Amino acid sequence: MIRVLAVAFAVCHAAQYGLFLGSWLVLGGAALDGAVTGRSIALWAAALAGSLLCRAAAVRLQGELATAIGRRLRGRLLRGALALDESHVRREGTGHLLGRVLEAESLEDLAVGGALAGLAGGLELLLAGVLFTAALGPVAGLLLAAWLVVAAVLLRRHEQRRRRWSTVRLALGNMLAEQVAGHRTRAVQQPDDPPGDGTHDLYDALARRMDRGWTALTALVPRGWALTGVVLLAARAAQGADRVSVTAAAGGVLFTFGALGRLVGGLAGVADARCAWDALRPLLPGASKEDGFLHPQVGSSSTKDGPPCPDGTDGVPLLEAQGVGYTYAGHGRPVLRRVTLRVDAGDRILLEGASGSGKSTLAGLLGGQRAPSSGVLRLHGATLAEVGAAGWRGRVLTVPQPDHNHLMLGPLALNLLIGRGWPATPGDLADAESVCRALGLGDLLDRMPSGLAQIVGETGWQLSHGERSLVFLARALLQEPEVLVLDETFGALDPHTLERALAVARERARTLLVIRQ
C-alpha cells in the first residue's frame, strides 16, 4: 500500500512540475517572439490547468501516504514498547525515558515530513536540472552537481552535531527530572545556587553550532547555487543566445533554486529523524518481533488462545520449573540458578525471601514475561516454546509489585476488565463490582459519583496505595487464570484489609502463589 501511494505521489508530483514548466516555456517563448496568439494562450491555460489537477492529486496522495507511514511507525513503536524488557526500563533514568518519549513523538513528523519534502524536492530538482543543463550546457550540470556535493557534506556535519546534541539533551533531561523528583531533599542539603557540571553550557554550545550548520545548509546552498546560475545565465545571454533558450535557462535557475531548498530541508528532516530513531531504538529491542514477551497487566487483553496445553494426567504438575536460571543482559552473574519448583492444581503456595534474592525475577519467568537462561519451564508438561508466549500468559498470570504495575487514565471498569476485553458486557461489569465489594472496595464505589464509570488515574479520581493494590488484585482475579502469581501485592494493605484480600484470593484463584518479603 505504501509503495503504491509513493509511486503515485511521485508520478503526480513530476507531472505537476513538468506541466508547469511546459506552460512557462509556451507562454514565455511566445511573449519573447512577439507572437502571443489564441493558440499559445490556450496551450498555456491547458498546461497550467493540468498542473493544478496534478497538484491537487499530489497533495491528496501526500496526506494518504503520511497517514499510512504514520500508522506503520506507530504500530511498530507500540509493539516494541509492549515488548520492552522490564529490567532495561528500570535501569533507565526518568529523564532519559522522558527524552526518548519526546523523540518518539517527533519521529513521525520528521520522518514523514522530511521524506516527502525530500522526495518532492528531488523530483523538482531533476526536472529543473534537466531543463537548465539543456539550455546552458554540461558545465551547468557539473556546477549543480558540485553544489549537491557541498550540500551532502553540510548535511553529514549537521547529522553529527544533532547526534551529540541529542545525547547531551537526554543527560540534561535526566538531571532535571532527578532534581525535580528530589527537590525537597535538595532544597535542604544543597545551597541555593549549587555548582553545575557544565552540561548546560555544553548544551548551549552544541545548540548554537547546530543552528549555524542548519542555516548554512538551508540558506547558503540554495542561494549560492542561485548566484552561480545567474552568472551562467548572464554569460549565456552575453554570447548572443536565442531568447527561447534564455527563457528556459531563467526558468531552470528559478525552479532549481526552490527545488534545491526543499531538497536540503527535507533531507535535513530525515537526518533529524534518524537521530531521533537512534535515541529511541534502545527502548525498542523487540520492535520487529510480533510475538515478543508482553506485560500481562498492561496489554490490551490476556487471552487463553493459542496452542492448547496437554490434558493434565496423574503425576504431571500444573506448573513446573526444573533447574531454571536467569542472567540479565550485560550481567555475568546469574540472578537465579538451578531453581526447581512444582505447582499442582489447587495449590496455595507462599514464597518468602530477602530483598534482591530474585523473587520478582522468578515471578516474571513463571508468568512467561521472560525466557529462562537455563533450565526448563513446563505448563501441563509442555514447554514455554510449545505453548507459546500468548497462550502461557493467558494461563499463568503474574501481578507485578504495585510500584511496577499501572493504573491507566480511564474508567475504573476499564482498569478492572482490560484483561477480559473492552467494551465490557453487563455480565463483566457485574463480576467486576462483585469482586471489588468482596475485596473491600465497596466504600470506594459508593463514594465515587459515577461508580465503575468514574475516571481514575493521574488526572482523575485519586486512589490510595492500598486501593490501587486492590484494583490490581481484582483485575487479576477477573481474568480467571489457571495459576495466579502475586508479587508483594499485599504490602500496602493494613492487617485487616490484608486478611480479607488474601481470603478472597484463596477463594477465587484456582491455583495461587503468593510472594512476599
Side-chain angles (χ1 to χ4, degrees):
M1 180 64 178
I2 292 179
R3 292 181 180 178
V4 174
L5 289 173
V7 171
F9 169 74
V11 170
C12 289
H13 202 78
Q16 168 202 343
Y17 276 90
L19 290 170
F20 188 73
L21 289 174
S23 68
W24 171 279
L25 292 176
V26 169
L27 187 61
L32 291 175
D33 289 337
V36 178
T37 63
R39 183 174 179 275
S40 60
I41 293 178
L43 290 175
W44 168 78
L48 189 60
S51 175
L52 292 175
L53 291 175
C54 291
R55 171 66 176 171
V59 169
R60 178 169 181 175
L61 289 170
Q62 180 177 352
E64 295 180 0
L65 183 59
T67 301
I69 295 176
R71 187 184 301 114
R72 177 74 61 84
L73 282 174
R74 290 177 183 274
R76 186 175 181 187
L77 291 175
L78 179 60
R79 289 194 301 271
L82 292 175
L84 288 176
D85 181 26
E86 183 180 355
S87 61
H88 179 85
V89 176
R90 292 181 184 177
R91 290 195 297 269
E92 283 272 355
T94 303
H96 276 100
L97 292 173
L98 179 59
R100 297 187 194 280
V101 170
L102 294 176
E103 294 286 9
E105 292 179 351
S106 63
L107 176 63
E108 179 181 342
D109 292 337
L110 290 171
V112 176
L116 293 179
L119 176 60
L123 291 172
E124 297 169 20
L125 185 64
L126 178 62
L127 292 173
V130 170
L131 176 64
F132 186 76
T133 303
L136 295 180
V139 175
L142 291 176
L143 289 174
L144 178 59
W147 276 107
L148 289 175
V149 172
V150 173
V153 173
L154 293 176
L155 184 65
R156 177 61 177 168
R157 293 183 63 184
H158 168 73
E159 183 174 352
Q160 292 172 346
R161 291 171 178 172
R162 176 65 158 78
R163 291 183 188 279
R164 292 190 61 194
W165 175 80
S166 297
T167 302
V168 175
R169 185 167 74 96
L170 289 176
L172 189 62
N174 191 54
M175 180 191 305
L176 177 62
E178 290 178 354
Q179 290 182 352
V180 170
H183 69 282
R184 295 180 180 177
T185 303
R186 183 174 59 85
V188 175
Q189 297 182 351
Q190 288 186 344
D192 293 338
D193 188 17
D197 62 355
T199 305
H200 293 84
D201 295 336
L202 179 59
Y203 176 84
D204 291 339
L206 290 174
R208 286 193 295 269
R209 291 183 60 188
M210 189 173 63
D211 290 343
R212 288 195 297 267
W214 175 271
T215 301
L217 178 62
T218 58
L220 175 61
V221 171
R223 285 164 177 78
W225 160 249
L227 179 60
T228 303
V230 169
V231 172
L232 290 174
L233 185 61
R236 182 69 170 175
Q239 293 174 358
D242 61 276
R243 286 175 292 183
V244 174
S245 63
V246 172
T247 302
V253 171
L254 178 62
F255 290 115
T256 306
F257 166 73
L260 189 57
R262 284 183 285 273
L263 176 63
V264 296
L267 293 180
V270 173
D272 289 344
R274 289 179 56 186
C275 296
W277 176 255
D278 288 342
L280 183 65
R281 188 166 49 187
L283 289 184
L284 302 179
S288 60
K289 298 178 182 179
E290 296 288 345
D291 56 347
F293 291 115
L294 308 184
H295 200 297
Q297 288 288 336
V298 181
S300 59
S301 64
S302 290
T303 175
K304 296 181 177 61
D305 295 337
C309 293
D311 294 333
T313 57
D314 293 339
V316 178
L318 171 59
L319 179 63
E320 183 181 21
Q322 291 184 334
V324 168
Y326 189 80
T327 303
Y328 286 102
H331 295 261
R333 186 176 181 180
V335 178
L336 297 174
R337 61 177 68 183
R338 296 188 297 276
V339 174
T340 298
L341 175 68
R342 175 182 175 130
V343 181
D344 291 314
D347 278 352
R348 303 290 189 264
I349 299 175
L350 175 63
L351 177 62
E352 295 182 304
S355 178
S357 59
K359 303 187 302 297
S360 296
T361 302
L362 177 59
L365 289 169
L366 295 177
Q369 299 171 29
R370 51 173 63 95
S373 304
S374 60
V376 62
L377 288 169
R378 289 190 175 90
L379 181 63
H380 290 294
T383 65
L384 178 62
E386 294 170 341
V387 177
W392 189 289
R393 291 192 307 270
R395 297 176 174 96
V396 183
L397 177 60
T398 296
V399 180
Q401 298 177 20
D403 289 344
H404 301 142
N405 213 327
H406 185 62
L407 190 65
M408 291 170 287
L409 179 62
L412 177 60
L414 172 65
N415 282 277
L416 290 167
L417 295 167
I418 190 66
R420 286 195 176 187
W422 193 260
T425 65
D428 290 335
L429 293 175
D431 290 344
E433 183 168 357
S434 173
V435 171
C436 286
R437 293 191 179 278
L439 290 172
L441 291 174
D443 291 342
L444 174 66
L445 294 178
D446 295 336
R447 290 198 313 270
M448 293 190 301
S450 301
L452 289 174
Q454 185 69 43
I455 300 297
V456 297
E458 293 299 328
T459 57
W461 190 282
Q462 297 295 311
L463 303 183
S464 67
H465 290 293
E467 290 170 339
R468 292 167 64 94
S469 297
L470 292 177
V471 170
F472 298 147
L473 175 58
R475 178 163 64 193
L477 292 173
L478 287 166
Q479 295 181 54
E480 301 177 347
E482 293 185 40
V483 182
L484 178 59
V485 182
L486 303 178
D487 187 4
E488 300 189 18
T489 302
F490 307 108
L493 305 180
D494 61 78
H496 174 71
T497 306
L498 186 153
E499 182 179 356
R500 180 173 182 172
L502 184 58
V504 173
R506 294 180 61 182
E507 176 186 353
R508 292 178 176 262
R510 288 187 273 179
T511 302
L512 181 63
L513 174 62
V514 176
I515 297 175
R516 76 174 188 181
Q517 185 172 339

